[in-house]
Amino acid sequence: MKRMAKPKKGAVPELTPAQKTAQSWLPIQDLHEGCLFRPDGGVVAGIQISPFSLALKSERERTQAIQGFQAALSGLTVPWQLLSLYRPVDLDSYLASLDTATDAATGTRRRVLGDYARWVRQQVQTGDSVERRYYLLMTRTGKDAVAEHQQSLRGLTDDLARIRGFRADVLTDAAWRELLFLMFHAGQAAVES
């Protein structure tokens, strides 16, 4: 009986032909503890940044938000990337509820709701019904990469929380799956939860 050589620690195991068909085109080896593990040994973690309108802020608040975000990014000591993705939004159920509210309304309220419902339908027809999602992704290598990510992400989200109106959440496994689905199945993202 032939003994198989024990794989080296950190080495990427050889894939069977069946596994190669499903996995060889994805740059992902594993996903757990809020981190995405790449075949090259890189460990990627990140935060999702909720969008907010700078136009609704005063000049002083705008400056503070931009400088705060710039300071947070300047403090990063690992390679990072900002990722911006759009997600189509399915507004059919929202339009149905608007139609119900319009039918139940009277007078001026009915007219205003009807005008608004027409505007929403126009946005859907022109393809403007999307939401934008923002992610800050960071890569580390080494055996302590997961622990280092978890520690630095807590500090980063605390720093960003000091910016008025700014909200950032550490990517969990579920959030990673949603991000990957959005990246690889953007057309279906509007109709599948």
Side-chain angles (χ1 to χ4, degrees):
M1 180 187 253
K2 185 177 178 182
R3 287 184 64 184
M4 295 187 67
K6 188 175 180 182
K8 294 179 183 177
K9 189 174 182 179
V12 178
E14 277 296 315
L15 299 175
T16 66
Q19 289 172 319
K20 283 184 181 179
T21 59
Q23 294 175 343
S24 61
W25 62 276
L26 284 176
I28 301 166
Q29 183 179 13
D30 200 2
L31 173 64
H32 61 86
E33 297 184 59
C35 294
L36 181 121
F37 296 82
R38 297 187 326 216
D40 67 357
V43 179
V44 183
I47 58 174
Q48 180 175 351
I49 301 169
S50 299
F52 67 96
S53 177
L54 286 174
L56 298 175
K57 297 194 173 291
S58 70
E59 185 64 37
R60 182 173 161 245
E61 288 174 321
R62 250 182 273 162
T63 302
Q64 288 175 339
I66 292 168
Q67 288 175 347
F69 189 60
Q70 182 181 12
L73 293 179
S74 296
L76 296 176
T77 59
V78 296
W80 57 271
Q81 172 184 5
L82 274 174
L83 176 64
S84 174
L85 296 173
Y86 75 90
R87 178 179 187 213
V89 179
D90 182 17
L91 295 174
D92 290 341
S93 61
Y94 180 63
L95 282 169
S97 68
L98 267 179
D99 290 340
T100 302
T102 303
D103 292 342
T106 58
T108 304
R109 183 168 188 217
R110 182 182 188 117
R111 185 180 51 77
V112 170
L113 283 173
D115 289 346
Y116 178 65
R118 279 188 289 285
W119 179 81
V120 171
R121 280 189 177 78
Q122 182 182 15
Q123 297 304 305
V124 170
Q125 289 172 349
T126 60
D128 290 339
S129 58
V130 296
E131 69 175 333
R132 183 73 60 182
R133 298 212 174 164
Y134 300 95
Y135 302 90
L136 176 62
L137 305 177
M138 292 160 278
T139 304
R140 294 181 190 276
T141 56
K143 64 180 182 178
D144 296 329
V146 173
E148 290 171 358
H149 270 314
Q150 291 171 343
Q151 182 180 2
S152 69
L153 290 176
R154 277 192 298 273
L156 180 60
T157 54
D158 289 346
D159 289 344
L160 293 174
R162 291 186 189 105
I163 302 170
R164 188 171 179 190
F166 206 95
R167 183 168 166 222
D169 299 303
V170 176
L171 290 175
T172 62
D173 289 354
W176 266 112
R177 283 189 287 277
E178 185 178 346
L179 169 59
L180 293 170
F181 184 80
L182 182 58
M183 287 177 64
F184 295 115
H185 304 288
Q188 291 176 280
V191 294
E192 294 187 28
S193 58

